[in-house]
């Protein structure tokens, strides 16, 4: 009692004792002091009760008035207190009794004497009683023993009954578990041994497979590694399954409820994210990882989602590390800020028992609960080994099968909402029930394993086990029922799979387009909007098959239209074919071997021994045919085509000469024998220029005509598709400016430019002003147009953050953001993925282009100038504007550089004509200042954009042809162009309608002759278009899989690499050559320079191929450069790393290798024998240096000033270089020049017009003669540029070698407009 503050009743007891003992301090303190006396009990025993006073007794009785102040009540609180109270009561009672009993004591003394007498008598009686009692005790002892034995037996019997009942309950309750536990026990025993292989496989999976695709992971884990362990007889679980060892159904269900897709790849990614010992770096182009992480971490991530561009990311990261919170870096690109390296590497040190990490210049306390996540939207980033060593790179890119499962949920939710909701409830219930069942089973085992003593005596435990088992049985029954229901639901849902499958195929068609152009970036969320719209708008049908067909058709066409909106015209046919091929592949109707051949042709590095039988058959076409006849089944007619051609070439020549051969029956009745795809393969071998048309016909045959008819640009539709958080990104092409159309749309919708439509062109320092526009516009509901975003790429990351901020702040419903940009790889993915992309291009064709120009011309504008020549000249200017834009279509044959002639050029030129004609009218001057107009338009306005001198020559030629008094010559009317079908004239003076009516009568398609080009330009255009389509389609093909013929991709690459290695010659020994030529002539100096460059090429080829072979065998890592090399070898393309060190060329790898070997032979002969009689200029690295050396040598010999010397060229009659018997003393003979845009008349020895379908002709041997510039007088010649390749020159003039003088009897303007030029090498 003493150490504690007692209850009040006990305190009162102690105070009573204090009073009775006559201690002055009547309190708990006094009581504690009293009880602290070790003789306390002795003082109570020896207490002088006769010394009590009436005052003491009265004080104690005051306490006794409390009815609860009784021993019984105090006993409930304290037994010691109750004992003391009894003592107190005894003392008080004694006092009361003592007052009455003292008088009687005297009487007692008297009675005691009588008592002594009686006691003597009593002793006798007691002796007799003792004898009897002893006898009775013996008998009682015997009775008690027998009674105890009886009670013990009864208790044992009761215990046995109770244990039997408990055992029965246990057996009944846990009997069903016996078999499972027995089996699991055996399994666990065997797994002890299997853990070796299981742990090896799972740890390998966690360590190495993160960055790879699902198929590659499966191949590594379940084939390569698993088979290797089996072969080595390493014990492991069979069948082996990663999910069984690294996660559980309960956890997978939780992940699914948090938004992680439930396909196998996503589950693997979930395992890698949560189990790996390095922080995850998720490659997440579809944003599935970031959405899951945000939902999984929930509020813990609030304020802890940053990018490396945020200035405060380090501060928030420090707080997360200290307090053990999660942290997410999103939108990570290929650069990872080295500041966080200590975190990634977990460089934790122990400082006085605390875990500490150094971040920047600070030491921060480390909490083991800290979790770091990094996510990147880049679809295929290149991270070095150091990043892979510090992080767990995880490929979250969705698979086609995984996306199909997700889209199936979307389709069923739309079509059968009740079914999908039932399924989702069922999934949630099953997940929860599995979790509960797991907990119950764990509880069951835990209770059993932790039980002490005899389990049969623990009735509480048995009752718990019974209840647990009952619940487990109930849940198991529910799960069984749920599984049956789920199976039934899945059967119904599976009927909607075709729609989901098509959607998945289409998304991957869209998503892979970024391989062609970085602006073609589409997010999964954007696709889901299109997919949902297709479900909403597709035609209903009572029959499920009809409904599915409508959904599939609507979705396919919607995706085609949506994607076409953001594609350049040149890529739209490629999209149509890719979509068709992938749809057919999904249906199992695409022959991959045929498709590979169609895209790549014959990739062999050697020419076929079987020579082409006819000169007219294209060289590469015959090589392709030699491979085509080995494709397909033995019974295929393809195998007989070469024999048919050799047997009778006449029908093939007739078919080859057709203008549209694809529309004509194939020779030998092959049209009926070959499929549409096989016919395309044959067209590839014979008429490459008609392949694009064949592709169009193929798409129409398989998909329908609407899939080769792209949608027209409708700004009202674009506006309807946009939202306040979906910006519209206009991707610009030369000659197109959407600003005027957006302004027009704004005026129609009440957003007048300058008022509710704010616009500005971005440039240096314009970022803050643009940000101000955005913030104002998003709150007030304005339209904001930011033009030329490509000119301020550094600010675009800020723009991306602004858009995220605007989206989070719920912008005004009328707010719209319009962006214009040229294609640039620096445009942020985040903006591209959230935006509606629209490609703007000038109208295609003269007619549409002129109609577009006139649509912006009003009658009021025409009336501003009173001069009669003004209206016809407006038409001439519109024609000129259309011609210079449409000429771009023909590539390098049209312009060396694709200039951005646009509406502004047209408007200002129009204003110039109006100004000068008005002035002439006012001055009554009959003379029109043609020279001034030609100069201002050709040199200042349109010419101001032209950087290439030969392009400027074309532009001024057009103006010379179009502007002059001849326009108004009534005796000889002017025609832009006229033939039997069409006549392009200048309408006479009249109202605007008279001009638009003439435009309306023009044909949609025009012949190249309208531009001054040869009809072959169309063949060239279609050939280039075909090659561009092939190149783009090859870029879209998956890199996994084989290359045909049973050879894997790696085997094919290795084979090509070995083949090239065998063809690489030894390096030239330059020091030895220098000793042989101690004082080299100018051309010999060129030889040394060329050989040095050649040796550099050889070293690069040898080293790169050796490293590639080592990388393929796994000896070294596959770097990004080696990966590009491998990809090029696989696709039969010249690797970029080699191309950089070689002369420019457009050749594919096979033809380049033949060119490479020929170059070596020329270098070898030049070094060993001497300078060639006829130089193959195409084989030199820098041919300009050789030509300069020729001039230098002549100047040295003849004493000419070098700066006043030049070259004169003459075409010889030598068709065969072998006929040249000796080298020129001054100058040289050159072979290997190819004439483009014209032909050569060998008899007349001058230029002539090309023959049909002959695009390029090899020029006879050309003679180059150095001369003094002052003595060179030439006439009837055409100054022809000589370029390295058919790509001609770029904007900087790189590619031009020299200018050749070719004889002609035509006016030079004819050849200028024909695009005539010479090339050193062709593809």
């Amino acid at each position: 009692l003493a150490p504690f503050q007692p209850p009040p009743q006990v305190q009162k007891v102690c105070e009573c004792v204090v009073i009775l003992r006559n201690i002055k301090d009547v309190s708990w303190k006094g009581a504690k002091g009293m009880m602290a006396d070790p003789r306390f009990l002795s003082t109570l025993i020896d207490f002088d009760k006769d010394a009590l006073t009436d005052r003491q007794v009265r004080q104690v009785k005051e306490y006794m008035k409390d009815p609860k102040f009784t021993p019984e009540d105090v006993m409930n609180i304290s037994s010691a207190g109750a004992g003391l109270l009894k003592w107190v009561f005894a003392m008080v009672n004694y006092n009361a009794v003592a007052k009455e009993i003292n008088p009687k004591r005297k009487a007692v003394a008297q009675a005691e004497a009588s008592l002594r007498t009686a006691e003597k008598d009593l002793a006798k009686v007691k002796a007799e009683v003792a004898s009897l009692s002893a006898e009775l005790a013996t008998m009682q002892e015997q009775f008690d023993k027998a009674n105890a034995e009886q009670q013990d037996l009864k208790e044992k019997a009761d215990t046995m009954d109770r244990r039997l009942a408990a055992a029965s309950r246990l057996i009944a309750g846990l009997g069903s578990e016996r078999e499972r536990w027995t089996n699991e026990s055996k399994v666990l025993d065997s797994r002890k041994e299997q853990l070796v292989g299981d742990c090896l496989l799972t740890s390998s999976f966690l360590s190495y497979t993160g960055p790879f695709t699902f198929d590659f992971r499966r191949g590594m884990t379940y084939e390569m590694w698993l088979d290797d362990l089996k072969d080595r007889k390493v014990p492991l679980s069979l069948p082996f399954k990663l999910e069984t060892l690294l996660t559980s159904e309960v956890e997978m269900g939780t992940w699914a409820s948090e938004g992680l897709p439930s396909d196998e790849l996503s589950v693997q990614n979930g395992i890698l994210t949560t189990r790996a010992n390095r922080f995850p770096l998720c490659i997440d182009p579809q944003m599935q990882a970031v959405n899951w992480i945000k939902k999984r971490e929930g509020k813990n991530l609030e304020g802890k989602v940053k990018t490396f561009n945020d200035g405060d990311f380090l501060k928030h990261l420090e707080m997360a590390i200290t307090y053990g919170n999660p942290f997410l870096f999103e939108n990570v690109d290929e650069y990872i800020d080295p500041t966080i390296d200590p975190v990634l590497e977990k460089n934790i040190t122990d400082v006085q028992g605390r875990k500490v990490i150094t971040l920047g210049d600070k030491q921060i306390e480390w909490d083991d609960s800290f979790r770091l996540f990094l996510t990147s939207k880049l679809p295929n980033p290149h991270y070095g080994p150091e990043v892979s060593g510090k992080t767990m790179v995880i490929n979250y890119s969705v698979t086609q099968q995984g996306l199909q499962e997700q889209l199936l949920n979307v389709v069923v939710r739309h079509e059968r909402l009740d079914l999908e909701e039932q399924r989702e409830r069922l999934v949630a219930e099953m997940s929860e029930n599995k979790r509960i069942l797991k907990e119950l089973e764990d509880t069951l085992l835990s209770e059993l394993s932790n039980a002490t003593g005899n389990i049969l005596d623990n009735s509480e435990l048995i009752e718990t086990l019974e209840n647990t088992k009952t619940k487990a049985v109930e849940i198991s029954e529910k799960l069984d029922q749920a599984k049956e229901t789920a199976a039934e639901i899945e059967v119904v849902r599976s009927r909607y799979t075709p729609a989901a499958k098509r959607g998945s195929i289409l998304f991957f068609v869209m998503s892979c387009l970024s391989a062609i152009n970085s602006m073609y970036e589409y997010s999964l969320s954007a696709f889901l909007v299109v997919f949902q719209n297709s479900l909403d708008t597709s035609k209903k049908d009572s029959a499920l098959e009809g409904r599915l067909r409508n959904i599939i058709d609507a979705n396919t066409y919607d995706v085609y239209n949506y994607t076409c909106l953001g594609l350049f015209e040149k890529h739209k046919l490629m999209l149509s074919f890719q979509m068709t091929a992938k749809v057919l592949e999904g249906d199992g109707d695409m022959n991959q071997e045929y498709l590979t051949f169609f895209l790549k042709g014959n990739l062999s590095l050697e020419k076929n021994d079987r020579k082409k039988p006819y000169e007219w058959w294209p060289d590469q076409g015959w090589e392709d045919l030699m491979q085509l006849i080995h494709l397909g089944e033995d019974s295929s007619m393809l195998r007989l085509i070469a024999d048919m051609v050799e047997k009778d070439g006449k029908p093939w020549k007739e078919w080859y000469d057709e203008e549209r051969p694809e529309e004509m029956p194939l020779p030998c009745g092959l049209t009926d024998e070959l499929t549409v795809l096989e016919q395309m393969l044959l067209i590839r071998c014979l008429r490459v220029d008609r392949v694009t048309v064949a592709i169009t016909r193929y798409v129409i045959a398989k998909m329908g005509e609407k899939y080769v008819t792209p949608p027209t640009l409708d700004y009202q539709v674009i506006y309807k598709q946009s939202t306040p958080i979906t910006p519209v990104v206009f991707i610009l092409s030369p000659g197109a400016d959407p600003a005027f159309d957006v302004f027009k749309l704004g005026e129609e919708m009440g957003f007048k430019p300058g008022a509710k439509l704010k616009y500005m062109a971005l440039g240096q320092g314009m970022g803050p002003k643009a940000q101000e526009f955005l913030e104002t516009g998003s709150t007030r509901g304005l339209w904001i147009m930011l033009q030329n975003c490509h000119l301020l790429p550094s600010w675009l990351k800020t723009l991306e953050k602004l858009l995220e901020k605007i989206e989070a702040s719920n912008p005004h419903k009328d707010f719209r953001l319009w962006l214009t940009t040229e294609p640039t790889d620096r445009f942020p993915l985040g903006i591209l993925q959230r935006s509606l992309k629209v490609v703007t291009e000038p109208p295609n064709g003269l007619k549409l282009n002129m109609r577009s120009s006139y649509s912006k011309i009003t009658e009021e504008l025409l009336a501003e100038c009173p001069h009669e020549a003004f209206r016809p000249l407006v038409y001439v200017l519109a024609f000129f504007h259309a011609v210079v834009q449409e000429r771009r279509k023909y590539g390098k044959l049209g312009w060396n550089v694709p200039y951005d002639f646009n509406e502004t050029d047209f408007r200002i030129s129009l204003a110039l004509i109006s100004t000068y004609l008005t002035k002439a009218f006012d001055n009554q001057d009959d003379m029109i200042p043609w020279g001034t107009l030609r100069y201002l338009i050709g040199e200042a306005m349109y010419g101001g954009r032209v950087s290439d001198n030969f392009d400027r020559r074309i532009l001024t030629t057009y103006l010379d042809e179009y502007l002059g008094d001849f326009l108004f010559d009534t005796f000889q009317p002017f025609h832009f162009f006229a033939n039997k079908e069409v006549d392009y004239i200048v309408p006479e003076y009249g109202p605007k309608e008279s001009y638009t009516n003439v435009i309306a009568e023009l044909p949609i398609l025009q012949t190249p002759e309208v531009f001054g080009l040869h009809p072959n330009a169309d063949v060239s255009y279609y050939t280039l278009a075909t090659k561009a389509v092939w190149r783009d389609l090859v870029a879209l093909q998956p890199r996994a899989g084989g290359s045909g013929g049973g050879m894997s991709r790696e085997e094919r690459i290795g084979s090509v690499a070995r083949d090239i290695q065998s063809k690489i010659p030894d390096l030239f020994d330059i020091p030895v050559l220098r000793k042989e030529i101690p004082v080299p002539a100018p051309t010999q100096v060129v030889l040394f320079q060329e050989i040095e460059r050649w040796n550099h090429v050889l070293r690069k080829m040898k080293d790169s191929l050796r490293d590639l072979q080592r990388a393929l065998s796994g000896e070294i890592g596959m770097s990004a450069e080696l990966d590009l090399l491998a990809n090029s070898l696989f696709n039969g393309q010249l690797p970029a790393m080699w191309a950089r060190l070689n002369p420019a060329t457009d050749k594919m790898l096979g033809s380049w290798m033949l060119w490479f070997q020929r170059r070596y032979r020329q270098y070898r002969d030049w070094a060993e024998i001497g300078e060639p009689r006829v130089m193959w200029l195409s084989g030199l690295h820098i041919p300009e240096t050789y030509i300069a050396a020729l001039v230098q040598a002549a100047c040295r010999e003849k004493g000419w000033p070098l700066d006043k010397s030049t070259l004169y060229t003459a075409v010889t009659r030598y068709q065969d270089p072998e006929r040249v018997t000796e080298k020129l003393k001054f100058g040289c003979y050159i072979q290997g020049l190819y004439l483009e845009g014209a032909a050569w008349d060998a008899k007349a020895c001058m230029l002539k017009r090309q023959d049909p379908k002959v695009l390029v002709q090899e020029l006879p041997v050309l003679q180059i003669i150095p001369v003094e510039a002052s003595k060179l007088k030439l006439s009837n010649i055409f100054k022809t540029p000589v370029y390295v390749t058919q790509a001609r020159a770029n904007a900087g003039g790189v590619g031009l070698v020299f200018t050749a003088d070719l004889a002609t009897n035509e006016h030079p303007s004819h050849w200028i407009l024909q695009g005539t030029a010479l090339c050193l090498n062709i593809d």
Side-chain angles (χ1 to χ4, degrees), residues 116-128:
R116 283 192 289 271
T117 303
E119 283 179 348
K120 290 180 182 179
D121 296 334
L122 180 62
K124 286 183 181 180
V125 174
K126 280 184 176 181
E128 292 177 2

Side-chain angles (χ1 to χ4, degrees), residues 48-107:
D48 184 7
K49 42 196 177 293
D50 293 322
L52 286 174
T53 65
D54 291 340
R55 182 180 62 79
Q56 289 175 301
V57 172
R58 280 197 307 273
Q59 286 179 325
V60 171
K61 282 185 176 181
E62 285 298 318
Y63 288 89
M64 292 181 176
K65 289 178 180 180
D66 186 354
K68 293 186 178 180
F69 195 69
T70 65
E72 292 76 18
D73 291 329
V74 175
M75 176 64 75
N76 292 332
I77 300 169
S78 169
S79 58
L84 284 177
L85 184 58
K86 286 179 183 178
W87 181 85
V88 170
F89 273 34
M91 294 300 102
V92 173
N93 290 338
Y94 176 85
N95 181 270
V97 171
K99 288 182 179 181
E100 297 177 7
I101 207 121
N102 280 338
K104 297 177 181 179
R105 283 181 177 174
K106 294 179 182 179

Side-chain angles (χ1 to χ4, degrees), residues 287-305:
M287 297 183 67
Q288 298 203 335
V290 72
N291 291 335
W292 173 55
I293 291 167
K294 286 180 178 178
K295 192 169 181 182
R296 174 181 172 82
E297 298 296 343
K299 292 184 178 180
N300 291 333
L301 263 181
E302 287 182 2
K304 303 176 191 70
V305 179

Side-chain angles (χ1 to χ4, degrees), residues 329-355:
F329 281 111
E330 60 179 354
N331 297 341
V332 175
D333 53 24
E334 293 181 353
Y335 171 78
I336 294 179
D337 197 318
T339 310
I340 70 165
D341 280 354
V343 180
L344 298 178
E345 295 167 359
K346 297 183 181 178
N347 291 335
I348 303 169
T349 55
D350 193 298
V351 177
Q352 298 178 350
R354 294 181 305 120
K355 291 183 176 179

